[in-house]
Amino acid sequence: RMEETNITVQAEKPVQVPSQTGFDSQPQLMTSLPQQSPELPETDWENMQSVSIPYHVENGVITEPVSYGDIAAVIWAIGLAGMLVASAVSYFRLKRRVREAYLVEKGCYECPGLETAFVLGFFPAKIYLPLGLSDREKSFIYDHENTHIARHDHWFKLLGYLVLSIHWFNPLVWLAYHLLCRDMELACDEHVVRNMTLPERKAYSAA
């Protein structure tokens, strides 16, 4: 025995069927009304200001103009290169001048043609003395220059010169570098004469 079952279909949302659906080759159902496009504001063409982009055309190639910042960067790079080249040239000139130096004691050399003593090199640093010094003067100057090496002043001076090369345009950095070198010399002098007698200090000042 078959029982009859009543099936009721209830649509949750009414469906709108266009009147021309039956005549379309591909009928479409619209489940909602089309939204209206928002109105766009009218453009005030009369009050619009033109924006010009500067450029330069050369041989059919469009290039941007050079700014003041670009010019300043080029000048700074030239100054930096000049400082580094000048330092390298001075270093290799000194290396050439001390080729005739001969060893006096460990780490200390005497060289003809020098006017003053100095420390040169890094691995290791060496002391170069001019000719014609008395034993007492050699002792004083050697102690002074050896104090520079013990305090690593040649490394700090190199670091200071690199900072000066980067900020070569700043006069305050030049002043700071000058004071750095002066303080190094005064500190070494103070260290050498600390245990000297008054006559020895006078002789050291005259050396």
Side-chain angles (χ1 to χ4, degrees):
R1 182 180 178 182
M2 298 179 61
E3 296 181 357
E4 297 181 356
T5 304
N6 295 327
I7 300 176
T8 303
V9 178
Q10 182 178 2
E12 296 181 357
K13 189 176 182 180
V15 179
Q16 180 181 1
V17 180
S19 59
Q20 300 296 328
T21 301
F23 300 95
D24 294 338
S25 59
Q26 295 180 355
Q28 297 180 358
L29 297 179
M30 298 179 60
T31 58
S32 62
L33 295 176
Q35 298 181 356
Q36 296 181 355
S37 300
E39 296 182 359
L40 298 177
E42 296 183 358
T43 304
D44 189 0
W45 298 100
E46 295 181 356
N47 297 328
M48 287 188 64
Q49 297 179 357
S50 61
V51 179
S52 60
I53 301 177
Y55 63 90
H56 177 69
V57 180
E58 184 177 356
N59 297 328
V61 179
I62 300 177
T63 58
E64 296 182 358
V66 179
S67 64
Y68 291 110
D70 296 334
I71 297 175
V74 171
I75 295 175
W76 172 82
I78 293 174
L80 173 62
M83 295 286 290
L84 297 179
V85 170
S87 177
V89 170
S90 177
Y91 177 80
F92 286 110
R93 281 183 177 177
L94 284 177
K95 291 287 290 184
R96 182 180 299 179
R97 291 181 61 183
V98 299
R99 286 186 300 181
E100 300 179 358
Y102 55 90
L103 182 65
V104 177
E105 56 181 290
K106 184 178 180 181
C108 183
Y109 296 79
E110 283 188 349
C111 181
L114 297 183
E115 298 178 357
T116 183
F118 54 83
V119 175
L120 184 66
F122 296 93
F123 302 104
K126 300 176 182 179
I127 300 173
Y128 292 91
L129 303 176
L131 294 178
L133 298 177
S134 64
D135 293 339
R136 192 172 192 180
E137 289 175 337
K138 289 180 183 179
S139 177
F140 289 155
I141 297 176
Y142 176 80
D143 290 342
H144 177 92
E145 301 299 335
N146 196 44
T147 303
H148 279 303
I149 296 176
R151 291 174 176 239
H152 308 290
D153 286 345
H154 53 298
W155 286 106
F156 289 114
K157 194 170 183 179
L158 174 63
L159 179 60
Y161 188 83
L162 291 177
V163 175
L164 176 64
S165 300
I166 296 173
H167 300 276
W168 60 266
F169 53 88
N170 192 340
L172 295 179
V173 181
W174 284 90
L175 177 62
Y177 181 75
H178 172 74
L179 295 177
L180 171 67
C181 297
R182 188 198 66 175
D183 290 345
M184 287 181 179
E185 297 299 328
L186 294 177
C188 289
D189 290 336
E190 182 182 358
H191 182 269
V192 172
V193 303
R194 181 177 301 172
N195 298 323
M196 288 184 178
T197 62
L198 183 58
E200 289 176 339
R201 292 184 180 185
K202 290 181 178 180
Y204 176 83
S205 300

